[in-house]
Amino acid sequence: TDSTQDNPSLMNFDPRVGMAWDPFKDHKTSIRASFGMFHNVIYSRDLNNWLQPPFLTGTQAAAPFLGTCATSCSPFTVAVTPGVIPTNGSLNPPNSNYYYVNKTPYQMQWNLNIQREIAPNTIASIGYVGSHNVHMFMQLDFNVPTPVLDANGLQHFSTISSPTAFATNPRLNPQYGALIFANTIAGSHYHSLQTSLNRRFSNNWQMQASYVWSKSIDDSS
């Protein structure tokens, strides 16, 4: 078998690189830049067995033991009969994972900043910091209601019968309800402008003023 199929983290590659440059060789200006990748290991708690299909553990029923005991019966002497997975549209497994998670979440980080000693013991800095998350976990309904187009071409996923009541359209597989599974299909972006002014005084005193303007975009907060 393909080992990468059995272990999605086997081929993770996390390069890190950084540089610093003194452009004027007067030791008063510094330009720094760096880039790195960081994978987020999927721990066993993220893939608990009771969150995995076919969810039979949630429908097992233990019936009382109907036999006779010569002396005493063990409290575990019961006839455990596997239940039947309901196919009447009532199955809605909560907090579940997609059957085969084959990606490891990771983040790319980068930054570029310039520092300058504008006066004795006074340093000003300005920089750009960004990051991009890939393959983050998010929940998605894999059995969505089938849309119906109206005369205006708009999609409707339910039928409204009153201001407070509605009926969901039949789902892709009407034998089941909402199948909301977690999968590594989300992403995010972060961009920021970071500035600071640092002044060092005598007797171990220091003053700093900072300002950050940032923007974060994601599809799975």
Side-chain angles (χ1 to χ4, degrees):
T1 60
D2 184 1
S3 60
T4 58
Q5 180 179 1
D6 300 330
N7 183 2
S9 300
L10 185 62
M11 302 301 292
N12 290 347
F13 180 59
D14 291 325
R16 322 282 174 81
V17 61
M19 59 85 65
W21 181 36
D22 181 2
F24 305 117
K25 302 185 185 304
D26 59 1
H27 308 300
K28 292 186 177 182
T29 302
S30 175
I31 300 177
R32 294 183 175 90
S34 64
F35 172 85
M37 291 180 59
F38 308 86
H39 276 83
N40 180 24
V41 177
I42 301 177
Y43 294 99
S44 59
R45 65 171 179 264
D46 300 320
L47 296 173
N48 291 322
N49 67 314
W50 58 81
L51 301 181
Q52 299 298 313
F55 312 109
L56 192 58
T57 56
T59 60
Q60 288 178 339
F65 179 64
L66 301 179
T68 59
C69 302
T71 54
S72 63
C73 291
S74 166
F76 302 103
T77 309
V78 294
V80 178
T81 304
V84 178
I85 298 178
T87 58
N88 58 358
S90 62
L91 179 62
N92 296 277
N95 300 322
S96 304
N97 291 327
Y98 182 57
Y99 187 79
Y100 185 57
V101 175
N102 58 2
K103 300 292 184 182
T104 305
Y106 68 92
Q107 182 183 74
M108 293 179 286
Q109 298 179 359
W110 56 86
N111 70 81
L112 172 65
N113 66 79
I114 302 174
Q115 289 184 329
R116 175 68 181 180
E117 186 181 28
I118 59 177
N121 298 320
T122 304
I123 298 177
S125 66
I126 182 171
Y128 161 66
V129 176
S131 67
H132 177 38
N133 285 287
V134 185
H135 300 314
M136 294 192 303
F137 270 108
M138 74 174 295
Q139 289 186 318
L140 181 70
D141 189 353
F142 283 76
N143 194 30
V144 297
T146 55
V148 175
L149 291 177
D150 63 13
N152 298 320
L154 298 177
Q155 292 184 339
H156 297 268
F157 296 87
S158 62
T159 302
I160 300 177
S161 57
S162 71
T164 59
F166 67 93
T168 303
N169 290 354
R171 296 183 177 271
L172 294 177
N173 188 340
Q175 293 183 333
Y176 304 99
L179 301 180
I180 301 177
F181 302 148
N183 197 6
T184 52
I185 54 178
S188 70
H189 295 267
Y190 174 80
H191 305 281
S192 68
L193 170 69
Q194 302 186 7
T195 62
S196 69
L197 181 65
N198 187 289
R199 169 70 176 180
R200 288 182 296 174
F201 300 94
S202 59
N203 299 323
N204 299 322
W205 282 89
Q206 178 177 281
M207 180 182 70
Q208 177 173 308
S210 302
Y211 174 78
V212 176
W213 180 88
S214 62
K215 184 176 184 180
S216 179
I217 304 173
D218 66 75
D219 52 14
S220 180
S221 298

